[in-house]
Amino acid sequence: MLRIDRTSNKPSIYIITSCIMYGSVCVLLEGINGMEIGSILFYRFFFGLIGIIAFIIATKKYKDFYLSKKKPYMLLRGILNITCVFSYFLSMKYAGVSIAVMLLYTAPVYVTLASPLLFRERISNQSMIALAISVAGILMLIDPGNFSSAGMGGDFPLGIFFGLISGLSSAAGSLTIDHLKEDYSGVTMVFWSTLIGMLILSPYATSVSGQVVLDNLGNLIQMGLGISAVATLIYLNGAVNMKARKASVIALLEPVSSIFFGYMLLNDPIFESTIIGCGLILTGAFMTSMGSMPIFGSRMQAWLKPGRELYNAYWRGFSKLQAVSFRRF
C-alpha cells in the first residue's frame, strides 16, 4: 500500500473522500428497486470482492489472500460485518437515514461499557462523561414523539432495534479487528470479510431475476466496487499514514455526510430532537476518540469517583464471564 508523508494533507483528504463516499450509500440504496436487502448486499460484496482482488493483484501482494492463523476469528469478523451492514440497511429502511447512521455510531458507547468486563480496564472520568452524553443522545433519537410525526408508527421501533444491533455488531467487530491486526493487514481483513459475507448471502443471488439485477446494475456496481472496494482502500491508505486518534475524529464526517445526503436528496425527515441527539452522540464519540483531555483532570475526580468505583465494582463481579471475554480473541 502506498505510503504517504504524515506531515502532508493527503491522508486527511483520503479519509474525508472515503467518508463522503460511505455517506452516499443511502442514495444508492434508495435507487435500487425490486430487490431485498439480502440480494443487494450479496451483489455489493460480489462487486466489492472483484475490486479488492484486482487491487491485490495489481500491487502483487498475494500474501493478502492467505490465512495462516486465527481463522475462527476471521470467520467471526465476517459474520459480525454481515450482521452490522444488514442491520444498518434495515434500520435505514424502517427509521430513516439520520436515525440509522447515528445508532451505528454508538459503537464506541458499547466498547466503553464493556471495557471493564472485556479488558479489566478501569473506566476513566472522561469515558464516563462521554458515555453519559452518548446515552442521552440515543434517548433523544428514539423519542417516541417522532414516530407519529414521521408517519412510521409501526416500523419506526423496528428501525431503532436494527440500528442498535448494527452499533453492537460494529463494536464487537472492532474488538476482533484489534486482535487480528497483529497478524493481518487491513486489506487481508477486508478481503476475507467481504468473501465470507458473499458466501453467507449466496442464497440471495438467485432470489431475483437477471433482469432485475440488470436494471439495478449501475447502483450495485457503485455500491460494491465504489464503496466496498475503492472507498475502503482509500480509507486504509489514509489511515495507515495518520495517527489513529486523528483518523477516528475525521471519520465522524461519515454520519454527517449521510444525514446531509438523506435530507437533501431523499427528503429524509429531521426533527429537532434528532439534531440534538446527533450532536450529543458525535460529541461522545469525539471525546472517546481524543483520549485523555486536560479538562477532565483532578477537579472532577471527587465528583465522579463514587460512580466510577460503583461501575467498575459491578463488572468485577462477573469473573466467570471475564474468563471467556473478548480478551481471548
Side-chain angles (χ1 to χ4, degrees):
M1 187 173 293
L2 179 65
R3 290 283 176 177
I4 303 169
D5 183 2
R6 291 193 179 200
T7 61
S8 73
N9 292 322
K10 287 185 178 180
S12 299
I13 294 173
Y14 284 168
I15 293 180
I16 291 172
T17 300
S18 64
C19 288
I20 294 175
M21 294 176 70
Y22 285 135
S24 67
V25 70
C26 59
V27 179
L28 297 174
L29 181 62
E30 184 68 20
I32 296 175
N33 300 307
M35 297 181 68
E36 299 178 355
I37 298 297
S39 300
I40 295 172
L41 287 178
F42 169 80
Y43 286 102
R44 171 180 175 171
F45 288 132
F46 174 76
F47 291 115
L49 189 65
I50 293 176
I52 295 168
I53 292 174
F55 174 81
I56 293 174
I57 293 175
T59 56
K60 297 182 180 181
K61 294 186 177 180
Y62 304 113
K63 64 179 182 179
D64 288 327
F65 286 127
Y66 300 103
L67 291 179
S68 58
K69 56 182 70 174
K70 300 178 181 177
K71 297 177 183 178
Y73 308 124
M74 190 67 79
L75 175 61
L76 175 62
R77 164 62 189 157
I79 294 173
L80 289 171
N81 184 51
I82 279 289
T83 304
C84 176
V85 180
F86 208 108
S87 300
Y88 176 49
F89 277 26
L90 287 175
S91 183
M92 281 196 290
K93 177 180 178 181
Y94 295 127
V97 176
S98 58
I99 301 294
V101 71
M102 293 316 305
L103 290 178
L104 174 65
Y105 261 74
T106 56
V109 175
Y110 307 127
V111 175
T112 301
L113 277 170
S115 59
L117 171 65
L118 303 182
F119 306 115
R120 301 181 183 181
E121 296 176 351
R122 291 177 61 85
I123 188 169
S124 65
N125 297 335
Q126 182 174 328
S127 295
M128 287 185 65
I129 296 174
L131 175 63
I133 292 174
S134 297
V135 170
I138 295 172
L139 295 176
M140 294 293 291
L141 285 184
I142 62 177
D143 179 10
N146 293 341
F147 298 178
S148 57
S149 300
M152 301 181 291
D155 294 337
F156 199 96
L158 194 60
I160 295 296
F161 170 76
F162 283 118
L164 293 172
I165 293 297
S166 70
L168 282 167
S169 54
S170 176
S174 68
L175 295 175
T176 60
I177 290 174
D178 190 58
H179 178 68
L180 290 168
K181 69 182 182 181
E182 298 175 359
D183 302 286
Y184 297 107
S185 68
V187 176
T188 302
M189 286 188 278
V190 171
F191 168 76
W192 280 101
S193 64
T194 303
L195 176 60
I196 292 169
M198 190 188 73
L199 293 176
I200 293 175
L201 295 173
S202 57
Y204 286 98
T206 57
S207 65
V208 293
S209 66
Q211 185 58 50
V212 173
V213 174
L214 288 175
D215 291 340
N216 296 287
L217 191 60
N219 283 340
L220 291 173
I221 291 177
Q222 291 182 65
M223 188 178 291
L225 188 60
I227 295 178
S228 293
V230 176
T232 300
L233 293 172
I234 289 175
Y235 179 85
L236 289 173
N237 224 5
V240 298
N241 295 286
M242 179 185 295
K243 292 183 178 180
R245 183 180 300 176
K246 183 178 179 180
S248 62
V249 172
I250 297 176
L252 295 176
L253 179 63
E254 180 186 345
V256 175
S257 63
S258 295
I259 294 172
F260 173 81
F261 285 129
Y263 178 73
M264 296 298 295
L265 302 180
L266 304 179
N267 296 318
D268 190 53
I270 297 181
F271 307 97
E272 181 179 354
S273 59
T274 302
I275 297 174
I276 297 174
C278 290
L280 291 174
I281 291 175
L282 287 174
T283 300
F286 174 81
M287 290 171 59
T288 302
S289 301
M290 288 301 294
S292 179
M293 299 171 68
I295 191 174
F296 301 102
S298 58
R299 293 184 179 181
M300 305 194 72
Q301 292 287 342
W303 179 53
L304 292 173
K305 184 177 180 180
R308 185 180 65 251
E309 290 183 347
L310 178 63
Y311 183 85
N312 290 322
Y314 175 81
W315 283 115
R316 282 197 295 270
F318 288 86
S319 57
K320 292 183 179 180
L321 289 177
Q322 289 173 348
V324 293
S325 69
F326 273 106
R327 189 69 168 176
R328 296 172 54 195
F329 280 62

